[in-house]
Amino acid sequence: MITAIVFVQAETARIPEVAEAIAALEGVSEVYSVTGQVDLIALVRVRAHEEIATVVSDQLNKVPGVVDTETHIAYRAYSRHDLESAFSIGVD
C-alpha cells in the first residue's frame, strides 16, 4: 500500500464542500480540515504509484474550489500501534 499526503489549498468559502468532494474520491481514505498554511490534508492510499497520479492529478486537482495542491509520498510509517506490536512479540 502506498500512502500520499496531499496538502490542499481551497477557496475559503468552499472548504467544507471541497473537503466532502475530495473525501468521496476513490483512493482517498481521510480528509482533515487544518490550521496553518494549507486548508485541507488528504490521505491517499493506493496499490501502485501510477494510481497516485490518477487520484491527485486527474481527480482531486479538478475538484471545483481546489486552488493548489502539494503531494508528499510516504516511504515509511511509524505509529504507536506498530511499535507496541513489535515490542510485544514473544512476550507473555
Side-chain angles (χ1 to χ4, degrees):
M1 183 69 58
I2 298 162
T3 301
I5 299 96
V6 184
F7 295 169
V8 180
Q9 291 184 341
E11 294 175 12
T12 304
R14 300 179 77 178
I15 291 172
E17 66 191 71
V18 170
E20 289 181 20
I22 292 171
L25 297 174
E26 187 171 336
V28 175
S29 63
E30 300 161 68
V31 178
Y32 297 94
S33 180
V34 297
T35 61
Q37 295 182 0
V38 297
D39 300 307
L40 303 168
I41 295 177
L43 297 182
V44 176
R45 299 180 197 274
V46 294
R47 295 186 188 276
H49 282 96
E50 296 79 21
E51 293 177 67
I52 294 170
T54 301
V55 174
V56 177
S57 299
D58 297 343
Q59 298 174 27
L60 193 152
N61 279 336
K62 295 178 182 173
V63 168
V66 170
V67 175
D68 192 27
T69 62
E70 182 178 324
T71 303
H72 300 263
I73 308 298
Y75 60 88
R76 184 175 294 152
Y78 299 91
S79 73
R80 179 183 307 252
H81 175 51
D82 293 339
L83 292 174
E84 288 174 357
S85 295
F87 285 112
S88 67
I89 295 173
V91 177
D92 293 13

